[in-house]
């Protein structure tokens, strides 16, 4: 599935124009057009804006079936680091912090972490 096609399909089902989406999301119309035509892949935060504008749960941006998709319960594996206790809190802190930094800084941080993991001096 191409996300742009799905967004256009949802917009047309709701009888909305790109201008309506622009007003509801704050995204500029030419960006919305670029997404719908497959020239740009939106970030998760942008997809959340689209879902709110369409007044649908986010899974409907990806799911084409009728009704809600079948849910499979996710079971935490206690053997995995970061799945419980203080480790899980640390992972959550990392997630929140990394979501706030820019792409260039994130790339640099990951590069440094790889070097440290491989035992090479930066």
């Amino acid at each position: 599935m191409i996300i742009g096609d799905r967004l256009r399909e949802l917009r047309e089902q709701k009888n909305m124009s790109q201008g309506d989406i622009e007003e509801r999301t704050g995204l500029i119309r030419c960006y919305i057009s670029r997404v719908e035509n497959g020239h740009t892949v939106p970030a998760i935060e942008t997809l959340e804006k689209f879902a709110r504008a369409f007044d649908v749960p986010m899974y409907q941006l990806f799911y084409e079936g009728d009704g809600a998709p079948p849910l499979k319960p996710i079971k935490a594996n206690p053997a995995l680091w970061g799945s419980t206790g203080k480790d899980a809190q640390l992972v959550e802190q990392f997630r929140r912090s990394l979501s706030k930094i820019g792409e260039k800084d994130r790339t640099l941080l990951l590069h440094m972490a790889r070097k440290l993991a491989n035992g090479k001096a930066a």
Side-chain angles (χ1 to χ4, degrees):
M1 167 202 316
I2 297 176
I3 192 67
D5 293 339
R6 181 69 177 146
L7 292 172
R8 177 182 288 120
E9 178 183 312
L10 282 169
R11 179 177 60 78
E12 290 172 351
Q13 283 177 359
K14 301 277 185 177
N15 293 321
M16 299 172 78
S17 68
Q18 288 181 347
D20 295 332
I21 302 302
E22 179 181 34
E23 289 174 13
R24 290 180 175 215
T25 62
L27 301 169
I28 57 176
R29 194 174 308 185
C30 65
Y31 177 77
I32 296 166
S33 175
R34 290 185 55 76
V35 169
E36 286 186 358
N37 290 309
H39 299 293
T40 300
V41 177
I44 295 295
E45 294 84 5
T46 305
L47 290 173
E48 289 173 340
K49 290 179 183 182
F50 276 106
R52 280 193 302 272
F54 296 138
D55 196 29
V56 298
M58 196 156 153
Y59 76 83
Q60 284 192 350
L61 300 182
F62 306 99
Y63 184 69
E64 295 176 343
D66 293 330
L71 295 178
K72 295 179 184 175
I74 300 173
K75 296 178 183 174
N77 183 348
L80 294 175
W81 181 87
S83 62
T84 60
K86 289 184 179 182
D87 293 338
Q89 292 173 350
L90 181 62
V91 169
E92 179 62 20
Q93 286 178 334
F94 282 141
R95 188 194 63 77
R96 274 189 258 126
S97 298
L98 289 172
S99 71
K100 294 177 184 176
I101 66 173
E103 183 64 31
K104 190 174 182 180
D105 291 334
R106 189 177 303 123
T107 302
L108 175 63
L109 182 62
L110 289 172
H111 176 72
M112 290 172 34
R114 280 190 200 104
K115 287 218 176 221
L116 287 172
N118 290 333
K120 298 177 184 174

